[in-house]
Amino acid sequence: MISTVAAGTTESPAMRVIFLVLMGVVIAGGLTLTIVRVLRSTKSCEKQMARLAAQLDGRNQVCIRKMEIGLSQEDLLRVAGSRGYSLIDHRVGKYYEFVYTPHQPGRLA
């Protein structure tokens, strides 16, 4: 169905409209998520640290995309250690994972 519409054959004008609407929704959704993440990362250091501290609320594991946060690793470790978390930097997946370790907080893995 999609390949037929994308190739330009016109079996049904309704199919083409549905395809274009769906593609528009996907593009608009992706653009919105990117804008929100960039805006979050441009906030002041104090606001970002406060938001991170609020997310580290005792859950066993918290994951945050690197694009959403513009703090240095030292700042991340300081906030994580103060809340009893250790930091795991996933460079391939491009996200930070905070693991609740009250017995050894503030470690970097």
Side-chain angles (χ1 to χ4, degrees):
M1 173 179 125
I2 293 176
S3 62
T4 305
V5 173
T9 59
T10 56
E11 287 184 20
S12 168
M15 296 286 266
R16 176 172 284 187
V17 170
I18 291 171
F19 175 75
L20 292 175
V21 167
L22 288 175
M23 294 311 291
V25 167
V26 168
I27 290 170
L31 186 61
T32 301
L33 286 175
T34 301
I35 289 171
V36 167
R37 288 179 177 166
V38 167
L39 288 177
R40 284 182 182 170
S41 69
T42 58
K43 289 186 178 179
S44 70
C45 183
E46 292 81 19
K47 286 184 180 181
Q48 289 187 42
M49 290 174 81
R51 189 171 62 87
L52 175 61
Q55 289 179 332
L56 302 178
D57 58 359
R59 291 180 279 175
N60 288 333
Q61 176 184 10
V62 177
C63 295
I64 298 176
R65 309 275 310 149
K66 288 184 178 183
M67 185 179 202
E68 293 182 16
I69 197 156
L71 296 172
S72 67
Q73 234 176 23
E74 292 80 21
D75 290 337
L76 292 171
L77 281 171
R78 187 174 339 131
V79 174
S82 71
R83 296 289 181 158
Y85 284 82
S86 294
L87 174 66
I88 302 172
D89 183 6
H90 294 276
R91 292 192 176 123
V92 175
K94 295 185 180 178
Y95 67 96
Y96 295 111
E97 180 181 0
F98 297 89
V99 180
Y100 189 61
T101 55
H103 53 281
Q104 293 180 330
R107 297 185 68 191
L108 175 65

